Amino acid sequence: MDTQNSAKVNTRKRRKETPGPNGATEEDGIPSKMPRCAIGLRQPAPFSDEIEVDFSKPYVRVTMEEASRGTPCERPVRVYADGIFDLFHSGHARALMQAKNLFPNTYLIVGVCSDELTHNFKGFTVMNENERYDAVQHCRYVDEVVRNAPWTLTPEFLAEHRIDFVAHDDIPYSSAGSDDVYKHIKEAGMFAPTQRTEGISTSDIITRIVRDYDVYARRNLQRGYTAKELNVSFINEKKYHLQERVDKVKKKVKDVEEKSKEFVQKVEEKSIDLIQKWEEKSREFIGSFLEMFGPEGALKHMLKEGKGRMLQAISPRQSPSNSPTRERSPSPSFRWPFSGKTSPPSSPTNLSRHKSAAYDIRYSYLEQNKFGSYVLLAQVQPGLTKNDAYGPQSRQGGHTEESVDP
């Protein structure tokens, strides 16, 4: 059986919708699990020098086929993974998770190199060896931790810890004068490859800190660290404090701008609503105004009706054609105001008739002018003529008018 196919590991991305362990599916090639005899699930993993090993029993390494098929509970497949594990991050945890899930019954041993070896072969670390040991101990996938692990794995070390397979990414790891420190492990058929997690590594984290050094220095100064602890000069300390104040002012200005934008937006929305409501009300008002005062509005019809009623009220009724005519003789003894001519004295009958005419006007005389409208000429009491309404001046010419019947 092909080694790589049989040691297929699950993908780096977790799938929450799948029921498999750690987000894995059947497509990931992980065989069904057996009851495992492993520790380190509820407490930190122990160190290898703290575990008592029974060397009386012979150690026989299992093959890849046997390990993939599954081993008895009392004989788990012992997988070894080593590293520096500085600034322990998710990339380290995922690599150990893949190593733990290589086989149905896996006992994961993790070796952590000491500070001396790491500084000699790789470089300075941020965390010391004790901090790195403790970080690996508290990873849930780890069953055992080997302190001061060797840089290159020897047959004696593999036999001492009864290791069946070594898990690591299959990229050649050149170090300590070798093109690949795992070359002899691969040739012996004990290598089980895992996948690196892209985008996260210890070097990437350190690069972020170095790139944004000023930001993190200001952050720690703000949190109470002294300039001496951060190895920051007096001038840089004052500069960082000034930058912090400037940033606070910028943040306040930005907050004010955002609030003002929100306020202006709300005002615009309200103004638009008011304009729309005003337009609706104005349309209603204009429509009502045109219905009342427009060319064909209700007011015009009301005026027409009122004019017709007024003309009907002031127009005279036609006198009967058989009403007798009357002539009145002029009176020499009566003089009208503003007139040099005399009129006949008024008899008691005429006087009473004129008095009643002054308080009981019932008939009117109209004349149509050149514009087509009617002009009121005179109003008389029934039984009097139009000349009686005009006075003696109209009778001087000898004109007689037909009396109006009551």
Side-chain angles (χ1 to χ4, degrees):
M1 175 181 276
D2 189 7
T3 303
Q4 293 185 354
N5 293 335
S6 61
K8 186 177 180 181
V9 296
N10 63 342
T11 57
R12 295 191 300 271
K13 294 184 179 179
R14 294 175 180 265
R15 300 183 180 90
K16 295 182 179 180
E17 67 276 8
T18 56
N22 301 309
T25 61
E26 295 180 356
E27 297 177 356
D28 293 326
I30 299 176
S32 59
K33 294 288 184 180
M34 295 177 61
R36 59 184 178 181
C37 301
I39 58 177
L41 297 178
R42 296 180 179 270
Q43 57 187 355
F47 293 113
S48 59
D49 52 5
E50 298 174 350
I51 300 175
E52 184 178 355
V53 181
D54 186 8
F55 291 100
S56 61
K57 295 181 180 180
Y59 169 68
V60 179
R61 193 178 71 83
V62 297
T63 63
M64 183 68 70
E65 184 178 356
E66 293 173 345
S68 300
R69 190 168 53 244
T71 58
C73 181
E74 64 276 5
R75 176 58 174 95
V77 180
R78 297 174 66 87
V79 178
Y80 178 81
D82 59 355
I84 309 301
F85 301 105
D86 190 21
L87 297 176
F88 193 86
H89 51 75
S90 62
H92 296 142
R94 286 179 176 274
L96 297 179
M97 180 188 70
Q98 295 179 58
K100 183 69 175 180
N101 287 279
L102 284 172
F103 308 106
N105 187 15
T106 303
Y107 183 89
L108 181 60
I109 306 169
V110 179
V112 182
C113 299
S114 64
D115 288 343
E116 182 180 1
L117 281 176
T118 305
H119 297 168
N120 290 334
F121 292 106
K122 192 168 184 178
F124 191 75
T125 58
V126 178
M127 301 169 63
N128 59 43
E129 58 185 21
N130 292 325
E131 293 170 339
R132 293 184 285 113
Y133 296 155
D134 188 66
V136 174
Q137 263 190 302
H138 289 83
C139 179
R140 60 174 299 182
Y141 310 110
V142 179
D143 298 309
E144 182 180 333
V145 177
V146 178
R147 292 181 286 193
N148 193 15
W151 197 261
T152 302
L153 301 179
T154 62
E156 293 76 15
F157 179 83
L158 296 175
E160 178 184 356
H161 293 278
R162 301 190 172 191
I163 297 171
D164 295 313
F165 297 98
V166 177
H168 200 275
D169 61 82
D170 56 358
I171 300 175
Y173 194 86
S174 58
S175 180
S178 173
D179 295 336
D180 188 3
V181 296
Y182 298 102
K183 182 178 180 180
H184 63 289
I185 302 295
K186 294 177 182 178
E187 292 175 351
M190 298 176 62
F191 188 80
T194 59
Q195 299 293 327
R196 291 180 62 88
T197 302
E198 298 297 334
I200 183 68
S201 67
T202 302
S203 299
D204 291 338
I205 295 174
I206 295 174
T207 301
R208 297 177 198 174
I209 297 173
V210 173
R211 181 185 58 199
D212 300 326
Y213 169 78
D214 290 348
V215 175
Y216 294 110
R218 288 165 50 191
R219 171 187 178 274
N220 283 7
L221 284 173
Q222 187 180 4
R223 289 178 176 268
Y225 288 88
T226 63
K228 184 178 180 180
E229 291 174 331
L230 298 174
N231 196 22
V232 174
S233 65
F234 176 80
I235 296 176
N236 286 337
E237 180 184 7
K238 299 302 178 183
K239 182 184 74 173
Y240 294 149
H241 284 304
L242 179 61
Q243 289 176 349
E244 189 69 27
R245 294 176 184 176
V246 171
D247 289 344
K248 288 182 179 179
V249 173
K250 289 181 179 179
K251 184 177 180 181
K252 290 182 179 179
V253 172
K254 186 177 180 180
D255 294 340
V256 171
E257 289 179 354
E258 291 178 355
K259 290 181 180 179
S260 62
K261 289 180 180 178
E262 292 178 359
F263 176 76
V264 170
Q265 186 176 1
K266 290 181 180 178
V267 171
E268 290 179 352
E269 292 176 356
K270 289 184 178 180
S271 62
I272 292 173
D273 294 338
L274 291 175
I275 291 173
Q276 292 177 351
K277 291 180 180 178
W278 181 83
E279 289 179 350
E280 293 175 359
K281 296 295 182 182
S282 63
R283 291 192 191 99
E284 295 178 1
F285 176 77
I286 293 171
S288 301
F289 182 85
L290 292 176
E291 289 179 0
M292 178 60 69
F293 301 101
E296 300 297 332
L299 183 62
K300 183 175 180 180
H301 295 291
M302 291 170 61
L303 292 175
K304 287 182 178 180
E305 293 177 359
K307 182 177 179 181
R309 292 177 182 177
M310 186 180 297
L311 293 176
Q312 185 179 1
I314 63 177
S315 61
R317 290 187 298 179
Q318 293 181 356
S319 300
S321 58
N322 56 355
S323 62
T325 59
R326 257 173 166 179
E327 291 185 6
R328 299 185 59 185
S329 60
S331 176
S333 60
F334 179 77
R335 186 182 297 273
W336 286 85
F338 309 103
S339 175
K341 299 181 180 180
T342 61
S343 61
S346 300
S347 62
T349 305
N350 292 337
L351 184 59
S352 62
R353 184 169 57 185
H354 282 290
K355 284 182 179 180
S356 62
Y359 298 98
D360 190 12
I361 299 174
R362 293 179 58 185
Y363 297 104
S364 303
Y365 291 92
L366 302 176
E367 184 178 38
Q368 189 173 12
N369 60 15
K370 63 181 179 179
F371 298 105
S373 60
Y374 292 90
V375 179
L376 179 63
L377 299 179
Q379 293 178 338
V380 297
Q381 181 72 14
L384 300 180
T385 65
K386 183 168 62 174
N387 290 336
D388 291 335
Y390 292 154
Q393 292 87 347
S394 62
R395 294 193 295 271
Q396 295 257 333
H399 298 288
T400 60
E401 284 291 339
E402 184 179 312
S403 63
V404 180
D405 289 337

